[in-house]
Amino acid sequence: MIFFWAFVIGGLICVIGQIMFDVFKLTPAHTLCTFVVLGALLDAFGLYEPFIDFAGAGATVPITSFGNSLVHGAMAEAEKHGLVGVVTGMFEVTSAGISAAIIFGMIGALLFKPKG
Amino acid sequence: MLTGHRTWIFDKKPVIISTGTVVGPFEGKGNLARDFDLIHGEIWLNQDSFEKAHQVMLEEACQKAMEKANLQKDQIQFFLGGDLINQITPTSFATRTLGSPYLGLFGACSTSMEGLALSAFLVNYNGAKYILTGASSHNAAVEKQFRYPTEYGGQKPPTAQWTVTGTGVALVSPMGKGPQVTSATIGRIVDMGLTDPFNMGGAMAPAAVDTIEAHLKERNVDPSYYDLIVTGDLGHIGREVSLDLFKKHGTPIKEENYQDCGLLIYREGQPVLAGASGAGCSASVVYGHILNRMKKGELNRVLVVATGALLSPLSFQQKESIPCIAHAVSIENGGEEQV
Amino acid sequence: MDSVKNQSTSITNINAKKSINQTTANQAKELVIKRDDVTGVRGVNTNKELLIAIMVPQMDRFQLKAIEKSVKEELTKEYPDYKVQVSTDQKMFLELDILERKLEKGKTGEKELKKELGNIKSLMKEEA
Amino acid sequence: MSNKKKKKLTPVQQEYQAFQDQRETKRPVFKNCMKAFLTGGIICLIGQAIQTFYIYFFDFTDQTAGNPTVATLIFISMLFTGFGVYDRIAQFGGAGSAVPVTGFGNAVISAAIEHRTEGFVLGVGGNMFKLAGSVILFGVFSAFVIATIKTILITWGGL
């Protein structure tokens, strides 16, 4: 069941992105930034977690979850250390995505040539 | 001789004595493969960067043109050309190899005809005996600079055009055998306020129309004087828009005599969306395909209108509109060989 | 995946006589499965602790945290002597399922059970 | 285009833009959305499969399995980018391949591969985040603002 909903919710989030591309003529960069901010905002109101519970990877794989987990990490640390925690905890949860991108980016640059 | 505001009539009729065209693999699979001198199997050309490949392509095209005319490097008096890369380095570096005096040009995709018009002018007024002129572009190098990394997954809208990997050069001389350059009309900037860099055709169409109409008026000829009016890289949208503009202005241009290099070069089914573009597009198609057809006698009078969108990634990001330009050069078959 | 799906519709009663007394866990499971918003339960108890993993129907997963909380409250009220832990995590369900089967076979001693539970609990404490 | 922008244009420009608009090939929005749905859905489905795999065969819970899943997806994205397939998928899928984290990976990796010719320090290092950097910036900054406000409200507002 979760597989079905991961597909549907993940797909629907992408449809919203496509509408932003095609109807509002936003560049991919603008669209993705909007998504990340949106994810952070949704988490502020506690609306993103239920989404993840419901759709699993359908909610964690789209870039919106990046904003969500940044807020999450920041809030978790903030509970322990107050405002300082907001800064120190920021990447607690999201480090995997960014470090993977950096590491595989470097490996990619070592291994591949652009195909054109 | 200046006629009207911006048209030159070349009374000595400079001759295009030879040409050299080199293209990449994608163009080699297109409609005009037989018209190119050299088709590369891969876009790197065994170089370690796209920019170097770009430069090598131009060097090879110059070599081809000189070979065909039996000329040596030191006989070339001037090289006039350009490309789309920052500070036109590929062209400058290629000319470093060539060693001839050099005038670098930038007219975006209109560079080919800007170069031909100026070369013809220089030759017409005894400025030189042999001038090489050309323009080139390399798909990956241009994408890298103007858009995204080549492997980046950005969806291109149906209005986008595909930058040609190709180069075309022509050797212009006051004497010899070949099609003659009879007149040229220099374009002015036309900016209709369009800002979409993925719709160049739509932005450039008014510039092409402006130049063509000025040319016809100042040279005082009817569109039917030409067997073919060929634009540089308007693509589907630009061609359609410009045809409708002609209709609106009452300029009797027939659809079958009005073609676009950007639509000629690729085959139906190649994933190029609205057509081809790039400085190398008009250069390789005109110096390859169109001149071959003229030599065969299929065409006798051709007006080439190379269109250029003079934007940069910076100007686009600063939300500037896209200024466009078009230069027209008429190429005609002369009666007999000039001496 | 399929195996879990099938299991999730039922609960397993572990033989109370074998090794460690699982009566509390069995009773708790009977209680929890009656709820509409729970489709499957696994649970194990020691003499002090009660660990329960539940499966929630897809459409109720939006209220996952709330359901978890309410089940915990219900069980805490019912078994005040135990330290009750409730989880909706798939991993917890799987681990408890394995543990239940081991208990059923009677191969697990009290020491081993505590060790296993400790492992499971430390897994759950890890923040994402 | 906004009305404010339009006001700056001359009547001739406005007239031409309307003229051009009628002839411009329209983006097939519905078709694109369907493709985006399919592509994005499949990527998320693969993500779910990887996540389930990590939960079943490794010591990961629902909460912690997200991290290795993201890393694995980015690894797959690297292979697809390196072999020149990702840009093809993207031309078909549009936002479907840009919005999932694989698109983020693709943005980083494609820039890294592309600028290798400018050397590893200035080329790869300097350009790696030229596309994805804005996502990180806006993510981090908005998260900072939101978390700060929330923390202040909790601490002093007794929320």
Side-chain angles (χ1 to χ4, degrees):
Chain A
M1 236 0 217
I2 192 108
F3 283 85
F4 174 75
W5 288 108
F7 179 83
V8 172
I9 298 293
L12 283 178
I13 294 175
C14 293
V15 169
I16 298 172
Q18 189 68 38
I19 289 170
M20 283 157 85
F21 277 12
D22 282 352
V23 180
F24 301 105
K25 301 261 169 96
L26 291 179
T27 67
H30 283 88
T31 308
L32 297 186
C33 288
T34 314
F35 266 144
V36 169
V37 175
L38 216 68
L41 272 175
L42 283 176
D43 191 58
F45 298 103
L47 295 175
Y48 206 81
E49 279 299 294
F51 240 128
I52 295 176
D53 290 336
F54 179 71
T60 54
V61 170
I63 200 78
T64 32
S65 77
F66 181 61
N68 160 63
S69 32
L70 282 170
V71 174
H72 242 69
M75 287 311 295
E77 282 287 295
E79 272 164 29
K80 289 184 219 154
H81 307 294
L83 278 180
V84 185
V86 171
V87 178
T88 56
M90 191 71 80
F91 283 103
E92 205 96 311
V93 191
T94 41
S95 54
I98 292 179
S99 41
I102 294 174
I103 292 161
F104 294 132
M106 187 64 185
I107 294 173
L110 287 168
L111 291 180
F112 298 107
K113 261 176 145 188
K115 298 276 183 295
Chain B
M1 190 182 70
L2 185 69
T3 309
H5 286 287
R6 47 183 167 133
T7 300
W8 293 326
I9 305 285
F10 304 122
D11 44 8
K12 292 200 181 141
K13 302 198 171 154
V15 181
I16 299 176
I17 54 171
S18 77
T19 59
T21 47
V22 180
V23 296
F26 194 65
E27 291 67 30
K29 289 182 196 128
N31 276 325
L32 310 178
R34 267 176 293 127
D35 290 316
F36 301 126
D37 295 327
L38 199 60
I39 297 169
H40 281 283
E42 49 99 33
I43 55 169
W44 286 89
L45 274 66
N46 294 322
Q47 303 300 310
D48 49 17
S49 74
F50 289 136
E51 290 74 12
K52 272 190 194 146
H54 193 332
Q55 173 195 335
V56 166
M57 224 165 44
L58 183 56
E59 288 171 7
E60 286 173 343
C62 293
Q63 199 60 45
K64 280 278 167 202
M66 289 188 294
E67 260 171 38
K68 281 199 240 168
N70 271 324
L71 290 175
Q72 295 303 313
K73 268 200 226 172
D74 47 6
Q75 287 173 286
I76 306 297
Q77 283 159 318
F78 295 102
F79 182 89
L80 272 67
D83 56 69
L84 298 172
I85 305 305
N86 285 336
Q87 287 79 38
I88 58 170
T89 47
T91 306
S92 301
F93 290 3
T95 329
R96 180 177 63 188
T97 318
L98 192 68
S100 68
Y102 159 60
L103 290 164
L105 306 176
F106 183 81
C109 311
S110 69
T111 309
S112 59
M113 287 307 116
E114 183 181 355
L116 186 60
L118 286 171
S119 306
F121 189 89
L122 286 173
V123 166
N124 195 58
Y125 292 98
N126 301 323
K129 267 178 88 178
Y130 296 110
I131 297 186
L132 256 181
T133 180
S136 55
S137 56
H138 187 291
N139 178 282
V142 170
E143 287 283 315
K144 179 177 174 179
Q145 179 181 319
F146 279 87
R147 301 201 171 118
Y148 300 114
T150 49
E151 295 307 326
Y152 177 66
Q155 191 179 36
K156 288 179 188 148
T159 52
Q161 289 171 264
W162 179 275
T163 307
V164 166
T165 304
T167 174
V169 297
L171 237 169
V172 186
S173 170
M175 60 214 155
K177 198 165 166 259
Q180 300 164 343
V181 183
T182 51
S183 69
T185 301
I186 303 302
R188 55 178 185 189
I189 302 276
V190 176
D191 187 340
M192 286 300 176
L194 272 83
T195 50
D196 185 359
F198 284 110
N199 183 13
M200 300 288 205
M204 293 190 296
V209 170
D210 179 74
T211 303
I212 293 171
E213 287 176 350
H215 176 84
L216 296 173
K217 202 176 122 214
E218 293 184 349
R219 214 188 161 191
N220 198 18
V221 290
D222 193 73
S224 59
Y225 174 82
Y226 292 108
D227 301 326
L228 180 69
I229 295 176
V230 62
T231 50
D233 51 1
L234 292 181
H236 283 296
I237 295 156
R239 180 170 183 267
E240 212 169 292
V241 170
S242 55
L243 274 171
D244 286 346
L245 280 175
F246 286 131
K247 225 177 272 169
K248 204 170 137 196
H249 298 174
T251 311
I253 285 183
K254 288 201 196 95
E255 211 170 307
E256 59 271 25
N257 294 340
Y258 184 70
Q259 284 177 349
D260 182 61
C261 296
L263 296 175
L264 290 169
I265 186 163
Y266 295 118
R267 219 180 271 280
E268 196 73 24
Q270 280 184 298
V272 295
L273 303 163
S277 68
C281 175
S282 54
S284 59
V285 172
V286 170
Y287 296 150
H289 177 66
I290 303 280
L291 287 193
N292 278 352
R293 283 184 70 188
M294 290 186 77
K295 281 175 200 156
K296 280 186 221 154
E298 291 171 29
L299 298 168
N300 281 313
R301 293 166 180 159
V302 175
L303 181 68
V304 183
V305 187
T307 44
L310 304 171
L311 82 167
S312 80
L314 208 68
S315 74
F316 153 66
Q317 281 168 10
Q318 291 172 348
K319 309 222 164 38
E320 295 281 348
S321 56
I322 304 171
C324 297
I325 197 162
H327 301 298
V329 176
S330 66
I331 306 174
E332 302 176 33
N333 271 340
E336 66 282 355
E337 197 177 328
Q338 288 195 329
V339 184
Chain C
M1 207 37 214
D2 276 343
S3 59
V4 171
K5 246 186 214 164
N6 298 336
Q7 289 159 9
S8 68
T9 50
S10 63
I11 55 168
T12 35
N13 273 309
I14 300 165
N15 195 329
K17 277 164 199 149
K18 276 182 187 161
S19 57
I20 306 130
N21 190 337
Q22 290 294 318
T23 327
T24 319
N26 286 345
Q27 282 172 353
K29 281 187 268 184
E30 297 279 4
L31 190 75
V32 172
I33 197 72
K34 281 187 195 131
R35 291 173 63 110
D36 285 341
D37 48 12
V38 173
T39 51
V41 196
R42 293 290 180 276
V44 166
N45 70 289
T46 62
N47 43 15
K48 282 186 225 112
E49 279 178 296
L50 176 61
L51 253 79
I52 296 285
I54 53 171
M55 272 220 172
V56 172
Q58 183 64 32
M59 284 306 165
D60 289 320
R61 284 186 69 89
F62 277 114
Q63 287 91 40
L64 204 63
K65 295 278 172 320
I67 293 171
E68 189 180 302
K69 211 175 148 198
S70 103
V71 170
K72 190 177 174 175
E73 273 166 14
E74 198 180 327
L75 289 175
T76 315
K77 215 189 277 167
E78 192 70 28
Y79 306 103
D81 301 338
Y82 288 86
K83 186 171 175 253
V84 179
Q85 280 192 32
V86 176
S87 173
T88 51
D89 203 290
Q90 216 186 130
K91 184 72 184 174
M92 185 90 156
F93 195 91
L94 282 171
E95 292 293 328
L96 286 178
D97 186 58
I98 295 166
L99 197 58
E100 276 188 4
R101 277 190 236 174
K102 277 189 190 162
L103 285 170
E104 175 69 23
K105 281 179 193 152
K107 281 178 191 161
T108 314
E110 192 168 351
K111 228 182 209 170
E112 218 172 315
L113 175 68
K114 277 191 179 151
K115 198 179 137 209
E116 289 266 2
L117 280 183
N119 281 343
I120 296 173
K121 278 192 290 181
S122 75
L123 211 60
M124 297 316 299
K125 265 180 211 139
E126 258 182 62
E127 281 289 315
Chain D
M1 191 180 289
S2 67
N3 284 328
K4 207 167 101 196
K5 238 184 188 170
K6 259 196 177 135
K7 267 179 206 153
K8 274 192 244 155
L9 298 171
T10 63
V12 180
Q13 285 178 327
Q14 282 181 30
E15 196 193 323
Y16 175 72
Q17 292 198 353
F19 186 83
Q20 198 276 137
D21 262 358
Q22 290 165 14
R23 285 154 185 86
E24 190 183 313
T25 319
K26 292 286 165 290
R27 302 185 190 205
V29 178
F30 182 74
K31 214 169 120 199
N32 276 353
C33 283
M34 284 290 106
K35 288 177 181 171
F37 180 75
L38 205 68
T39 314
I42 288 172
I43 292 175
C44 292
L45 191 67
I46 295 169
Q48 185 64 47
I50 294 170
Q51 191 163 326
T52 310
F53 168 80
Y54 278 117
I55 291 172
Y56 269 68
F57 297 102
F58 294 91
D59 279 345
F60 289 105
T61 62
D62 275 358
Q63 288 284 309
T64 52
N67 284 341
T69 305
V70 163
T72 311
L73 282 172
I74 291 176
F75 175 73
I76 295 171
S77 175
M78 174 189 84
L79 294 181
F80 276 58
T81 306
F83 289 116
V85 189
Y86 206 89
D87 53 340
R88 311 259 162 92
I89 298 174
Q91 186 56 35
F92 173 84
S97 64
V99 172
V101 75
T102 47
F104 176 79
N106 170 252
V108 174
I109 294 156
S110 66
I113 295 176
E114 183 86 359
H115 290 279
R116 184 194 176 172
T117 49
E118 284 90 77
F120 279 104
V121 175
L122 297 175
V124 177
N127 290 294
M128 192 179 245
F129 285 105
K130 76 172 187 181
L131 292 166
S134 56
V135 172
I136 298 178
L137 165 66
F138 280 93
V140 169
F141 194 71
S142 63
F144 170 75
V145 172
I146 287 165
T148 305
I149 294 172
K150 227 176 149 181
T151 310
I152 291 173
L153 285 179
I154 289 168
T155 321
W156 288 293
L159 200 77

